[in-house]
Structures are given as C-alpha cells and as structure tokens.
Amino acid sequence: MRTHRVDVLVVGGGAAGMAAAASAGGEGARTLLVEEGSRLGGVLDQCIHPGFGLHRYREELTGPEFAARLVAELAGVEVWTGQSLLEVEPERPRARAVGTAGAVEIAAQAVVWATGARERPLGALRVPGARPAGIFVAGLAQRLVNIHGLLPGRRALVVGSGDIGLIMARRLHLEGVEVMGVVEIRPYPGGLLRNVIQCLDDFGIPLLLSHTVVEVHGRGRLSGVTLAEVDETGAPRPDTARFVAADTLLVSVGLVPEVEGIPFAPRDPTTGGLAVTSRLQAAVPWLFAAGNCLAPFDLVDTVAALGARAGTAAARYARRELSPAPAVAIGRGPGVAALVPSSLVPGEEATLYLRASRPLARAWVAVGAGIVGRTVHGVRPAEMIGVRLSPEETEALARAGNATVEVIPA
Ligand SMILES: Cc1cc2nc3c(=O)[nH]c(=O)nc-3n(C[C@H](O)[C@H](O)[C@H](O)COP(=O)(O)OP(=O)(O)OC[C@H]3O[C@@H](n4cnc5c(N)ncnc54)[C@H](O)[C@@H]3O)c2cc1C
C-alpha cells in the first residue's frame, strides 16, 4: 500500500471539513481533504432551499451555493473525493482510506474529523407493525427529490418537526404530493420558528403537536399509519387513536453524530459526538473535530466557523505550536439538552454551544453556579445558544473547579 504524507488530514468534505481544510491550508500546512462522496458539500448539496450563509457571507444562499463558496476557498488544498477513510491508528495520526484511488495509507501530523451526522431511523421509535415500502428517513427523501428527481410517493405524512422534517413537508407539497401533516410528540415544534412559518403555515400543512405514530400499516407498500395524541409523559392515549391513509412516511426524528473509524477517541455522553476541549481537540492530542460529528448544529455558519477553528488548531499542532493543555470538564446541569465542547482550556477564550431542553420566554444561562451568567430571550430547543467566554472567565471557572452549565427560567 502506498503512503501519502501530509501535515493535516481532514476527513469529510461537508461545510465543517471544507472550512477546516481551507484554514489549515491558509496556515501553510500541506493539507489533504478526503471525502467519500463523489463531490464535496456533504448535506449542503441536497439542501436547495435558501437560508444558508447569513452570518459567514452576509447573504442568503442555498446549500449548493454555500458549498460552492467553500470549494472556492480550497486553493492549495489537495482534495480526494470518492475515497472513504476507514480507520485511524490509535497511537499516531496514520490512517487508511479506500476508494477510487485504491487503498492508501495517509501519514499526517494532525487529523481533523468532520464526518457529519446520520439520521435516526424508524426503529428508534419502536413503532409496531410491518415495514412496508414507502418509509424513508427525510434526508434520503430529500436526496431522491432534489438530486435524483424522484418522488417518494403521492400521499405523505412526516413524523418529527425538526428542520429537515419541516423543509421536506414543504418540498413534497411543492412537488404535488398531498402532505397530510407533520406529527410531533412534543408540545412544541422541534425546528426553527422561521421554518414552521415558511414551510407549514404558508402552505396550510397541519402541525400535529403532542401526537405520535403508534402503528404502521401495509403489506408491500405503506397503506397508512395510526396516530394518537400523547399525554404529558409522552405516552399515547388509546382513546385518541385514528387511522390516516398514506403511501409514504418520512421519518425525521433526529441526527446521530457519525464517529466511525476512531473508536479510541472518547465520546461526549450527552451528545454521542466526539468529546473535545474548547480548542476542538480530542483526548488524543493530534485529533481535532468540528461540525455535526460533535452534535447536530442548527446553522451551517456555526459549523463552518468551528471547522475553520479546528483547521487552524490542527495546523498549529502540526507545526508543534500547540501543546496539550489541561482542561476542566464542563457539566450539563438542569435545562441543558446538548452541549459542545466537553471541557474548557483555562485562560483561553471559548464558546459554549448549547440547546435548552424546553422553550422559555427568558432564561438565565449560568456557568459554574453563576460565576458566568447571560440572559437569553426567546429560548427554543431547536436553536443553539452560543455563550462566549473570555480568558478571564475560563480561568475563573477553572479556579472554582466548577464549569457546570444550567438554563434557568428567568
Ligand atoms: C435538511 C437540512 C436542512 C438544513 N437547513 C439549514 C439552513 O437552512 N440553514 C443553515 O444554516 N443550516 C441548515 N442545516 C444545517 C447545516 O447544513 C449542517 O449542520 C451542516 O451542513 C453540516 O455540515 P458537516 O460538515 O458537519 O456535515 P455533512 O454536511 O454531513 O458532511 C460530512 C461529510 O463527511 C463525509 N464522510 C463521512 N464519513 C466519511 C469517511 N469515513 N470518509 C470520508 N468522508 C466521510 C460525508 O460523505 C459528508 O460529505 C440544514 C441541515 C439539513 C440536514
């Protein structure tokens, strides 16, 4: 097997990986970006709706337009598409990849992991009934419609009101599919408010809050599903069960960080993504990570910003300018559903990205029992809250030995 030598290896050519590769390359590091798909862009490629890039480019772009901007920033970066990264050695930044260029060993000084996230399937809901054709994860349906020009069915129901579910409800409606509604188990929608308005309200698509799918029907092809309201504990109320005829069920019930190939790197127990410090550095010091492989992010601008930071840090590590630093674990207190990073490097600036566990009109985000606090208005679990910490604040939290984050109604 031939060995290819670089300073920084970036795995995954979505927004996070492209931004990481552009920054590492910009730092003068010999950088290789490896993407298993046939083109760069990751999930952006199939997101043909606008809503990307308002922060990074101060323009509202579609997903492919945003991806094209990042591709244009890759001057000087070596890019391999159609090449899948199989594994990285636990002891050193040496990796094996296979694909259209054959089997290759890559010897690097630092690695940036940016492999995104995958969708949770229907199995995650434990719904009884058969598994006929016509049940799709929403991202796959999006790919079929937007890239391959294929319709998944004629009469559809969407389960899960996260952004992917909302966007696909509108997409199917615009393609002439009869969309019976979007079913959401929680009493509030899972996606951004702007998407609820622009994807459902504007097209008269019903949003069924506090509802779930309790049974799937059909032999060969889906014939319909049984829906029921749920009580405050999330348990279905049998007296409310009703059959809805549909030949298509889109499942959009969350994303799971993709972290295959590096089993030795610790995961964050709350997100399932890679555990990283505020430098985006994993426990193995030559490994950095950014984007949805840490936790599913709501905005691509944040993902690209994290990618750029991880790429710069990896290039500095490769130049031996970044030695490992002790980090203080960040605890997840009440009111916090997801949190990135997992630990803070004292005396360095850091940004915490968190999701609240429920909507709140006004909240107090407290870190370290109030050593640091911020008031946040209009908290929604779908929207990540960014809390920027100064070097003095990370130092104070480290001295107190307490960096637990809480979201408290205010
Ligand atoms: C349907 C949908 C709508 C969205 N709408 C918006 C919006 O309107 N506005 C907005 O700002 N954000 C939006 N987002 C969020 C944003 O687009 C994503 O968070 C972001 O693009 C994720 O980037 P990523 O690089 O982390 O992951 P991905 O885009 O998933 O990229 C990961 C890449 O890694 C590759 N890969 C994985 N494993 C390997 C391997 N072993 N070897 C080589 N390559 C590998 C994959 O093929 C993929 O290309 C949306 C997301 C979705 C899914």
Side-chain angles (χ1 to χ4, degrees):
M1 198 189 304
R2 73 187 161 95
T3 302
H4 190 74
R5 293 183 190 281
V6 292
D7 296 327
V8 176
L9 163 65
V10 180
V11 186
M18 286 195 282
S23 301
E27 289 278 322
R30 270 178 311 156
T31 304
L32 170 66
L33 173 60
V34 177
E35 163 57 48
E36 67 185 2
S38 57
R39 32 187 297 152
L40 295 176
V43 74
L44 291 171
D45 229 15
Q46 63 191 65
C47 294
I48 61 171
H49 58 277
F52 296 82
L54 284 168
H55 300 271
R56 187 176 173 94
Y57 299 113
R58 307 214 175 280
E59 270 182 72
E60 194 175 31
L61 304 171
T62 63
E65 284 169 339
F66 189 95
R69 297 278 177 105
L70 283 175
V71 170
E73 293 169 23
L74 290 174
V77 171
E78 190 178 359
V79 177
W80 293 354
T81 52
Q83 200 75 12
S84 186
L85 209 295
L86 296 180
E87 55 178 359
V88 182
E89 290 182 13
E91 304 82 17
R92 56 187 183 158
R94 227 167 228 254
R96 270 165 286 283
V98 68
T100 47
V104 190
E105 186 175 66
I106 302 156
Q109 302 295 323
V111 176
V112 179
W113 206 256
T115 51
R118 60 172 184 269
E119 291 179 281
R120 274 209 186 95
L122 183 66
L125 300 185
R126 301 201 187 134
V127 179
R131 288 295 178 267
I135 303 173
F136 302 84
V137 285
L140 171 63
Q142 188 179 46
R143 213 173 168 76
L144 289 177
V145 175
N146 291 350
I147 295 189
H148 301 289
L150 298 170
L151 270 192
R154 296 279 167 207
R155 192 177 153 100
L157 198 71
V158 180
V159 54
S161 67
D163 291 317
I164 310 178
L166 298 174
I167 284 162
M168 278 314 293
R170 175 179 65 182
R171 189 80 192 102
L172 292 183
H173 172 87
L174 291 174
E175 291 298 334
V177 175
E178 193 181 353
V179 182
M180 307 306 295
V182 175
V183 179
E184 169 58 57
I185 194 165
R186 286 171 294 192
Y188 51 85
L192 301 173
L193 183 60
R194 73 167 195 227
N195 282 335
V196 175
I197 296 166
Q198 294 172 6
C199 298
L200 302 189
D201 299 355
D202 287 357
F203 297 95
I205 300 171
L207 174 60
L208 303 165
L209 296 174
S210 301
H211 275 72
T212 192
V213 174
V214 289
E215 195 168 352
V216 169
H217 306 274
R219 293 170 70 86
R221 178 82 197 193
L222 184 78
S223 59
V225 298
T226 302
L227 300 182
E229 279 180 42
V230 297
D231 63 22
E232 51 291 339
T233 68
R237 292 177 37 211
D239 56 312
T240 64
R242 67 184 166 101
F243 177 80
V244 177
D247 64 8
T248 304
L249 179 66
L250 258 53
V251 181
S252 183
V253 292
L255 298 170
V256 184
E258 180 68 80
V259 280
E260 302 291 317
I262 39 170
F264 53 86
R267 314 302 194 240
D268 182 293
T270 64
T271 63
L274 278 179
V276 289
T277 69
S278 44
R279 289 179 176 177
L280 304 175
Q281 192 170 24
V284 191
W286 42 261
L287 182 63
F288 297 80
N292 286 1
C293 67
L294 297 175
F297 280 85
D298 54 346
L299 291 181
V300 72
D301 306 80
T302 313
V303 164
L306 286 172
R309 276 185 40 218
T312 304
R316 289 187 57 209
Y317 184 86
R319 284 202 304 266
R320 293 183 167 63
E321 285 176 15
L322 195 73
S323 42
V328 180
I330 304 174
R332 191 183 82 168
V336 178
L339 183 60
V340 172
S342 307
S343 56
L344 284 177
V345 178
E348 292 186 4
E349 198 179 272
T351 304
L352 308 179
Y353 299 94
L354 58 121
R355 280 183 198 275
S357 49
R358 64 192 170 108
L360 293 169
R362 206 170 101 108
W364 174 246
V365 179
V367 192
I371 292 173
V372 176
R374 308 275 190 271
T375 302
V376 185
H377 294 271
V379 169
R380 297 169 55 82
E383 293 168 25
M384 269 188 151
I385 303 169
V387 178
R388 192 168 280 182
L389 303 176
S390 67
E392 295 73 29
E393 287 173 327
T394 57
E395 189 67 62
L397 291 165
R399 263 202 311 275
N402 180 357
T404 295
V405 183
E406 298 162 78
V407 178
I408 305 157

